[in-house]
Amino acid sequence: MSNITEEQTLHEMIGAFVKVAPLLKSLTNDDITIGIYDTEKLINNIPGRTFSLNVKPGDPLVEGDIVTDAIRNNKSISAVVPKELFGFPLAARAIPLHDEFGRVIGGVGMGTSLEKANMLFEMAESFSAIVEQTTASIEDISQSIDRLTERVSDVTGQMSDVSSSAQQIGKISTVVKEISDQSSMLGLNASIEAARAGDVGRGFSVVADEIRKLATSSKENVDQINGITKNIQEFLQRLNHAFADIHALADTQSRTIQEFSATIHEISIKAEELAQVAEETLYSKENKQ
């Protein structure tokens, strides 16, 4: 109070709060403002370190204000003032003051800035949203890797079927080559017998020559088929190795994604805990009476 004469007319209880209020403010690390009232007006206000409620001694009680309600209803009141009013949330608490006969002679209100707690709460909510988005993206990636693994497994199985078919072709080619060799030998023997038969065996000699030509042609085709089959098998082998590497990489990525997902889950839990702590800091005083 700047007016000593007016202070001397105050009730002893109100005067004591006027003197003690600045000391109370210095005892806490919270950013607080303190207001002392009689039953009609503000006697003194100690502004916060970073904010002021734009009030001055002599301002009348305001209807609906927490200190006014505490004085009028003769009870302690706590509330959280939304940030829309002052630009930041404020935890407010007010108590009535009594004289020696128990009559209400005024009240004291204290407001604590919850700006940092509000910022923490908003950051925690934002962090939780980012974690949720990251979790969803990881799940999509994990599903894509699972689908890739399935496709690689399907293609590997189909390659195995093709490789088996190529092996069957190789076996058939072997049989055809054996028949070709036998046909060639048969044609040679037939030509020898036809030569021995002279003119009688000329017609048979023509047939024997055709058999030998067919055997030779079959052998050449078999050699080409064997060459193509060998190339297919070599290609399939290289392709199989490549897909095996892809499969191993997909497995490694899948395990990494699972570990990363578990880490993100832990971060999500911590973000929820952080948001809860911030929320409790913001609103826990509202229910205290």
Side-chain angles (χ1 to χ4, degrees):
M1 289 290 295
S2 59
N3 193 329
I4 303 301
T5 302
E6 182 179 355
E7 181 179 341
Q8 292 174 345
T9 65
L10 296 176
H11 188 278
E12 181 181 356
M13 177 66 75
I14 296 178
F17 267 98
V18 170
K19 294 179 180 179
V20 171
L23 300 177
L24 293 177
K25 183 173 180 294
S26 65
L27 288 175
T28 178
N29 291 325
D30 293 334
D31 195 4
I32 66 172
T33 181
I34 301 175
I36 300 96
Y37 295 77
D38 61 17
T39 55
E40 296 180 355
K41 62 185 180 301
L42 174 66
I43 303 301
N44 194 18
N45 175 255
I46 309 299
R49 289 191 297 271
T50 63
F51 69 98
S52 174
L53 301 183
N54 297 321
V55 294
K56 63 183 183 299
D59 288 349
L61 291 174
V62 178
E63 292 298 327
D65 183 78
I66 186 172
V67 178
T68 303
D69 292 342
I71 293 173
R72 298 282 171 79
N73 297 311
N74 190 21
K75 66 177 184 179
S76 299
I77 299 176
S78 296
V80 173
V81 180
K83 65 179 180 179
E84 288 75 17
L85 190 60
F86 297 112
F88 55 89
L90 190 71
R93 183 172 178 80
I95 60 172
L97 297 178
H98 305 89
D99 62 12
E100 60 272 19
F101 302 105
R103 295 173 298 190
V104 177
I105 58 172
V108 177
M110 184 176 71
T112 303
S113 173
L114 298 177
E115 184 176 12
K116 291 182 179 179
N118 183 66
M119 291 176 60
L120 178 63
F121 179 68
E122 292 178 349
M123 290 173 61
E125 284 193 325
S126 177
F127 186 51
S128 295
I130 293 173
V131 169
E132 288 181 1
Q133 294 175 358
T134 304
T135 300
S137 299
I138 290 175
E139 185 175 351
D140 291 340
I141 294 173
S142 179
Q143 291 177 355
S144 298
I145 291 177
D146 290 340
R147 288 194 296 269
L148 174 62
T149 301
E150 291 177 359
R151 294 297 300 273
V152 169
S153 297
D154 291 341
V155 173
T156 301
Q158 294 174 7
M159 287 169 52
S160 178
D161 294 339
V162 173
S163 180
S164 298
S165 298
Q167 291 176 359
Q168 293 295 327
I169 294 174
K171 293 179 180 179
I172 294 173
S173 297
T174 300
V175 174
V176 172
K177 186 174 183 301
E178 291 175 355
I179 294 174
S180 174
D181 292 339
Q182 293 176 359
S183 298
S184 179
M185 183 62 67
L186 179 61
L188 178 60
N189 292 334
S191 297
I192 295 173
E193 293 299 327
R196 289 179 180 176
D199 292 337
V200 178
R202 286 180 181 177
F204 189 66
S205 177
V206 173
V207 174
D209 289 339
E210 291 300 323
I211 292 175
R212 292 176 63 190
K213 290 179 182 178
L214 180 60
T216 301
S217 177
S218 297
K219 183 177 181 181
E220 292 174 352
N221 290 333
V222 167
D223 290 339
Q224 292 179 359
I225 292 173
N226 285 337
I228 294 172
T229 302
K230 183 179 180 181
N231 291 335
I232 292 175
Q233 289 177 332
E234 291 177 352
F235 172 74
L236 288 175
Q237 188 176 11
R238 292 195 299 270
L239 196 59
N240 188 58
H241 289 322
F243 275 106
D245 292 340
I246 294 174
H247 198 284
L249 178 61
D251 286 342
T252 300
Q253 289 181 338
S254 180
R255 289 192 298 270
T256 302
I257 289 295
Q258 290 176 356
E259 293 174 358
F260 188 48
S261 179
T263 302
I264 289 295
H265 180 67
E266 291 295 328
I267 294 176
S268 177
I269 293 175
K270 296 301 180 183
E272 291 177 359
E273 293 176 354
L274 178 62
Q276 184 176 358
V277 170
E279 186 175 11
E280 290 174 354
T281 303
L282 277 173
Y283 301 112
S284 61
K285 294 183 178 182
E286 184 175 5
N287 296 322
K288 293 181 180 178
Q289 299 296 331

